[in-house]
Amino acid sequence: AKPVVHEICTNQVVVTLQACVKELVENSLDAKATRIEVRLGDSGAELLEVIDNGRGISAEDFEKVASRHATSKIRQYTDLSSGEFSSFGFRGEALSAISAMGDMTIATKTPESAASLLCYDRYGKLVSSSPIAREVGTTVSVRELFKRLPVRHKEFTKNAKSQVSATLRLIQSYAIAQPQVRFSVVAEKRCSAGGGRATLLCTSGTATDWHQAAAAVLGDAALTKTQKICVNAGGWQVEGLISSPMAGRRSRDAQLFFVNGRPIDPPKR
């Protein structure tokens, strides 16, 4: 049955908080957002929100936006080999999977239309649409992430601190790769002992290049005693910074790799 297929397939698309944030942030970047905020309520277990000032979602796409394999980023298969293709994703699985992992709502507005609040069920079906007030852009809210999967939810809450740390490193990587975008990460807790609101990351979005962005994110000290590298060979261009043997770190937490402006996690050997 389709519901069973949906549950099995979507469970493998979004398996961590980091993976969920990654998909939403890349959607914001594809929407040409210049300001992206990630909010984590109770480490993301209670609420995860990604807020941007991108182009918004057209009304004609409201019912399809969380459907499996529905995407507005390509029209035909040959678009993938087009020299103009620069999307971060195109499979149309992210929002469908996220709607299965938690209670998802979307608030969106395009420059041409009024703002709408959209609610979706666990199968990605639009169940309600109502007018709201907001600026141009999109906010995706996910409540009780992984609550429908008891084992995964238990693992998530058990390792919440490490999942938030991994998510923060991911956003740091995007902040370096996309220096023209202002990123912020805010952690919120209920009003109790240790509760409140804390800003984990905030960039200006005014860096002129990734070198300035790296200094702003990692700190000037992290870039001391580093050398610029630039290699052109066989149609490929590689540029970056590498530390001297005497100034390196024992851990790999500051080793960041990018392909076409997209953070990647190469296999460790």
Side-chain angles (χ1 to χ4, degrees):
K2 287 186 177 181
V4 177
V5 173
H6 178 77
E7 295 284 355
I8 293 174
C9 294
T10 55
N11 288 352
Q12 306 306 315
V13 177
V14 176
V15 296
T16 63
L17 174 66
Q18 180 194 34
C20 187
V21 172
K22 172 182 177 292
E23 297 290 353
L24 295 178
V25 167
E26 289 184 350
N27 278 349
S28 296
L29 292 172
D30 280 339
K32 306 304 180 185
T34 58
R35 188 173 68 250
I36 300 174
E37 179 179 348
V38 178
R39 294 181 183 173
L40 302 174
D42 193 16
S43 300
E46 179 185 350
L47 173 67
L48 162 64
E49 277 190 339
V50 175
I51 307 162
D52 69 50
N53 66 340
R55 294 175 300 199
I57 301 173
S58 301
E60 62 187 28
D61 293 329
F62 285 175
E63 292 192 3
K64 299 175 287 186
V65 72
S67 300
R68 286 187 64 210
H69 306 306
T71 180
S72 61
K73 299 177 183 179
I74 61 172
R75 297 299 178 185
Q76 51 192 3
Y77 187 75
T78 53
D79 290 347
L80 298 178
S81 56
S82 169
E84 299 179 356
F85 182 75
S86 60
S87 170
F88 280 95
F90 55 86
R91 295 180 301 175
E93 294 180 311
L95 292 179
S96 174
I98 292 171
S99 67
M101 298 296 102
D103 298 326
M104 185 180 77
T105 60
I106 299 177
T108 188
K109 183 183 186 308
T110 66
E112 299 82 18
S113 63
S116 299
L117 177 65
L118 315 173
C119 298
Y120 295 85
D121 66 12
R122 65 189 300 177
Y123 303 111
K125 182 179 179 181
L126 179 65
V127 294
S128 68
S129 175
S130 56
I132 58 168
R134 66 152 293 146
E135 62 183 3
V136 173
T138 300
T139 298
V140 179
S141 304
V142 186
R143 297 186 180 276
E144 297 189 329
L145 185 64
F146 303 129
K147 192 76 170 184
R148 295 172 182 147
L149 300 173
V151 175
R152 188 173 297 177
H153 185 261
K154 182 179 180 180
E155 185 72 14
F156 172 43
T157 53
K158 179 182 177 181
N159 301 301
K161 186 175 181 179
S162 62
Q163 293 231 19
V164 170
S165 296
T167 300
L168 183 59
R169 288 196 299 272
L170 175 74
I171 302 302
Q172 288 176 328
S173 297
Y174 280 112
I176 295 172
Q178 307 289 332
Q180 75 285 358
V181 179
R182 179 180 179 181
F183 288 91
S184 60
V185 180
V186 177
E188 300 175 337
K189 288 188 177 181
R190 293 179 179 177
C191 295
S192 60
R197 176 186 175 99
T199 300
L200 305 182
L201 172 71
C202 185
T203 65
S204 65
T206 59
T208 57
D209 55 31
W210 65 267
H211 187 278
Q212 283 189 5
V217 172
L218 303 176
D220 291 329
L223 301 187
T224 58
K225 297 183 180 180
T226 59
Q227 289 182 303
K228 286 187 177 182
I229 58 171
C230 186
V231 179
N232 288 277
W236 294 84
Q237 179 179 344
V238 179
E239 61 177 319
L241 292 172
I242 187 170
S243 61
S244 65
M246 301 303 294
R249 299 163 60 112
R250 292 184 178 180
S251 63
R252 296 180 175 179
D253 60 328
Q255 290 185 357
L256 306 175
F257 300 89
F258 308 88
V259 174
N260 293 334
R262 182 176 190 166
I264 64 168
D265 187 17
K268 306 292 189 299
R269 293 186 178 180

